[in-house]
Amino acid sequence: MKTISVAHSPDADDIFMYYAIKFGWVTAKDAKFENIADDIETLNQATLKGVYDICAISFALYPFVKEEYALLKTAVSFGQGYGPKLIKKKGAKLKRNFKVALSGEFTTNALLFKIAYPEAKISYMNFLDIEKAVLEGSVDAGVLIHESILTYDKDLEVEKEMWDVWVELSGGDLPLPLGGMCLRRSIPLHSAIDYENTLIKAVDVANKNRKVLAPMLLEKGLIRVDAPTLDTYLDLYANDDSIMLSEIQYKALDKLFELGFKHGFYENLIKAKDFLIPSEYEELRNK
């Protein structure tokens, strides 16, 4: 049996969406999944190098890896009225060229931030270190992601919601594309379809069995937050909309890619649906 590497971030929604596989509730037909957890920018960089068979990525990275990786239709995180937060010390006034900490060069929040704040001086650091950097004054502000958007220090305040930046740039009320997963194109098509279907089932099973799975993850110490915060966080990022990409989510991805192309971050303008695994092949083969 093949071993397939599946890398995801250590934040609560990724762990929640994957662990139906880890606990053996869902299995692939011809492969054993081996999971690796790392911060999202490390995973972005690893995907650029082709390290993992299946990997969680920031959606903003995808145009850079489209030739080597197919975009998966599942395990997606979007914001709807919420998302990463640009925070600063309470009462602080930010100059046009303020120093800011971002969680990585290829994160979606970094792409949007750079478009909205072209004069800011950017430092990249692990997302877990951003809050401390702002509190200690080594940067003027930082963009918080993952669970930090719910748990940041009382001495900090929100300068700007990245959701508001997204709405201003996108010109509408499309959901904010944050992260998803991709799969190495060199994997044979029938196996790729099976792996994607396995992940779809895992997210679906996790979502349907949240009242059982969430306490298990907390009990095993796999989650960094308490039960009420986890519940709130899963409401935001691991829900019915995470199981399969919807039409409005495709539109949102296309808008993100369009913004990146328009502002010179991407060489080519792409459409998300052109880079999916052609799962209809399985139906045709069975016929």
Side-chain angles (χ1 to χ4, degrees):
M1 184 174 284
K2 302 173 188 173
T3 298
I4 298 297
S5 56
V6 182
H8 55 78
S9 81
D11 63 300
D13 59 323
D14 273 20
I15 289 174
F16 177 80
M17 289 190 282
Y18 179 80
Y19 261 65
I21 293 172
K22 190 74 172 178
F23 291 152
W25 299 355
V26 176
T27 56
K29 292 177 184 176
D30 65 348
K32 176 184 176 183
F33 283 5
E34 180 180 80
N35 72 304
I36 302 95
D38 218 330
D39 75 273
I40 190 61
E41 182 62 11
T42 299
L43 298 183
N44 287 337
Q45 296 286 346
T47 305
L48 285 168
K49 298 172 185 174
V51 174
Y52 300 115
D53 298 312
I54 301 171
C55 195
I57 58 167
S58 301
F59 279 129
L61 173 81
Y62 187 71
F64 297 108
V65 298
K66 65 184 188 301
E67 301 303 326
E68 292 78 29
Y69 284 86
L71 190 63
L72 294 185
K73 298 188 284 287
T74 191
V76 299
S77 294
F78 283 72
Q80 184 66 58
Y82 51 84
K85 300 175 185 290
L86 175 63
I87 52 92
K88 62 181 182 180
K89 284 184 182 178
K90 280 186 176 177
K93 302 293 183 183
L94 298 180
K95 299 177 181 179
R96 291 172 64 181
N97 63 341
F98 65 95
K99 296 178 182 177
V100 66
L102 303 181
S103 53
E105 180 182 0
F106 293 101
T107 57
T108 303
N109 70 78
L111 173 64
L112 297 176
F113 180 89
K114 285 183 276 191
I115 294 171
Y117 297 94
E119 296 181 62
K121 297 177 180 178
I122 298 172
S123 296
Y124 296 113
M125 62 183 66
N126 188 291
F127 71 93
L128 292 171
D129 298 327
I130 291 176
E131 184 177 341
K132 182 180 178 184
V134 178
L135 287 167
E136 292 180 347
S138 58
V139 293
D140 302 312
V143 176
L144 299 182
I145 62 172
H146 299 329
E147 300 96 330
S148 298
I149 67 172
L150 301 176
T151 62
Y152 58 88
D153 192 274
K154 59 181 176 57
D155 291 328
L156 301 174
E157 64 182 2
V158 176
E159 167 72 13
K160 188 85 170 183
E161 296 277 355
M162 296 308 292
W163 165 259
D164 293 330
V165 171
W166 166 249
V167 170
E168 291 163 10
L169 292 174
S170 64
D173 194 29
L174 292 170
L176 167 57
L178 294 170
M181 300 197 82
C182 61
L183 178 144
R184 194 193 304 279
R185 289 191 181 277
S186 60
I187 293 173
L189 183 54
H190 69 280
S191 294
I193 293 170
D194 177 42
Y195 302 159
E196 180 175 54
N197 286 338
T198 301
L199 289 167
I200 291 170
K201 290 176 186 175
V203 179
D204 188 32
V205 166
N207 194 48
K208 289 176 178 174
N209 294 277
R210 176 167 152 182
K211 290 183 179 179
V212 175
L213 180 57
M216 290 176 66
L217 298 175
L218 288 163
E219 183 181 334
K220 292 179 179 294
L222 296 166
I223 304 295
R224 293 187 296 261
V225 295
D226 59 22
T229 305
L230 174 61
D231 199 45
T232 300
Y233 190 71
L234 294 179
D235 282 343
L236 300 179
Y237 293 125
N239 50 48
D240 291 344
D241 294 329
S242 302
I243 301 167
M244 285 278 285
L245 280 167
S246 65
E247 287 303 316
I248 194 169
Q249 288 174 334
Y250 284 121
K251 289 179 182 178
L253 280 172
D254 290 345
K255 176 57 70 172
L256 180 71
F257 299 152
E258 178 188 317
L259 286 169
F261 175 72
K262 178 182 176 183
H263 290 274
F265 293 96
Y266 305 139
E267 291 184 1
N268 305 107
L269 179 61
I270 69 170
K271 298 285 187 181
K273 284 188 177 181
D274 293 338
F275 295 90
L276 304 174
I277 294 171
S279 51
E280 63 274 9
Y281 166 81
E282 195 73 9
E283 296 176 12
L284 293 172
R285 190 178 73 162
N286 290 337
K287 288 179 181 179

